[in-house]
C-alpha cells in the first residue's frame, strides 16, 4: 500500500471549503496539481481530470465518484482489473470549534502494482497533493474573506 495523508486547519467554514473543492471552473486559479476537472459529483458518475504529476506535462485521469456527503466527504477513485491497483482519493471536512474547517486529504493506492507506482511517482504525488492541500486552504480563506467584505 502507498498512502499520503495530509491535514490542514483552515480559517473558513466547511461550506466555503466544500465550495472550493466542487467549483471546478476555478481550479486553474489555485490548483497546480489537478489543473482541470469536470464532474457532476453524483455517486457513480465520472470525474474527468488533467493531472500534473510531472512538472512538464499533464495527463488525463478519469475516476468514479464513490461517495459524496455534501460538505463532509468526497470519495473517488479507480479499480484496475485483476486487483492490480485501486486508487482512492478523499477530501474530508469537519467543523472546528472556532468556526473553521479541519481538512484532511487522503490518497491511497492498494494492489500488487501499488509499490511500483509509489516507487516511481511517490515524490511527485506527495508534492502534488501537498500543493493541492495548501491551495485549497489559501483559496478558501480568500473566498471567505471576500464574502465577508461584500456589502
Amino acid at each position: 500500500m502507498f498512502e499520503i495523508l495530509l491535514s490542514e486547519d483552515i480559517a473558513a467554514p466547511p461550506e466555503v471549503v466544500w465550495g472550493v473543492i466542487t467549483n471546478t471552473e476555478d481550479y486553474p486559479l489555485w490548483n497546480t496539481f489537478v489543473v482541470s476537472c469536470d464532474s457532476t459529483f453524483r455517486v457513480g458518475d465520472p470525474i474527468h481530470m488533467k493531472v500534473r504529476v510531472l512538472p512538464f506535462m499533464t495527463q488525463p485521469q478519469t475516476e468514479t465518484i464513490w461517495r459524496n456527503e455534501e460538505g463532509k466527504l468526497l470519495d473517488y477513485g479507480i479499480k484496475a482489473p485483476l486487483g492490480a491497483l485501486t486508487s482512492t482519493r478523499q477530501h474530508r471536512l469537519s467543523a472546528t470549534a472556532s468556526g473553521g474547517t479541519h481538512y484532511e486529504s487522503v490518497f491511497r493506492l492498494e494492489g500488487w502494482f501499488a509499490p511500483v507506482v509509489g516507487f516511481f511517482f511517490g515524490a511527485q504525488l506527495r508534492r502534488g497533493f501537498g500543493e493541492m492541500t495548501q491551495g485549497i486552504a489559501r483559496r478558501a480563506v480568500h473566498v471567505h474573506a471576500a464574502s465577508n467584505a461584500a456589502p
Side-chain angles (χ1 to χ4, degrees), residues 36-52:
S36 73
C37 181
D38 181 50
S39 182
T40 65
F41 296 109
R42 287 191 299 262
V43 173
D45 280 1
I47 179 169
H48 302 284
M49 299 170 279
K50 287 189 181 171
V51 182
R52 184 175 287 132

Side-chain angles (χ1 to χ4, degrees), residues 124-135:
Q124 292 88 352
L125 291 167
R126 283 185 186 87
R127 174 200 48 79
F129 283 111
E131 289 174 0
M132 185 177 191
T133 297
Q134 293 169 359

Side-chain angles (χ1 to χ4, degrees), residues 5 13 22 27-28 31-32 51 57-58 61 65 88 119 123 131 149:
L5 303 171
T22 58
Y27 272 36
N31 197 335
T32 59
V51 182
M57 67 176 271
T58 60
Q61 180 79 18
I65 303 294
T88 303
F119 178 78
E131 289 174 0

Side-chain angles (χ1 to χ4, degrees), residues 48-122:
H48 302 284
M49 299 170 279
K50 287 189 181 171
V51 182
R52 184 175 287 132
V53 176
L54 300 172
F56 51 85
M57 67 176 271
T58 60
Q59 67 185 43
Q61 180 79 18
T62 299
E63 303 188 10
T64 302
I65 303 294
W66 291 337
R67 293 187 323 191
N68 180 340
E69 299 172 23
E70 189 169 339
K72 295 180 183 177
L73 173 69
L74 184 61
D75 181 15
Y76 51 93
I78 59 169
K79 290 184 181 181
L82 306 173
L85 190 68
T86 299
S87 167
T88 303
R89 172 72 172 115
Q90 295 181 340
H91 299 273
R92 300 177 184 171
L93 288 72
S94 57
T96 63
S98 65
T101 303
H102 180 72
Y103 170 74
E104 294 179 348
S105 169
V106 179
F107 177 73
R108 185 175 298 124
L109 295 173
E110 297 177 278
W112 57 265
F113 198 63
V116 175
V117 175
F119 178 78
F120 284 106
F121 297 105

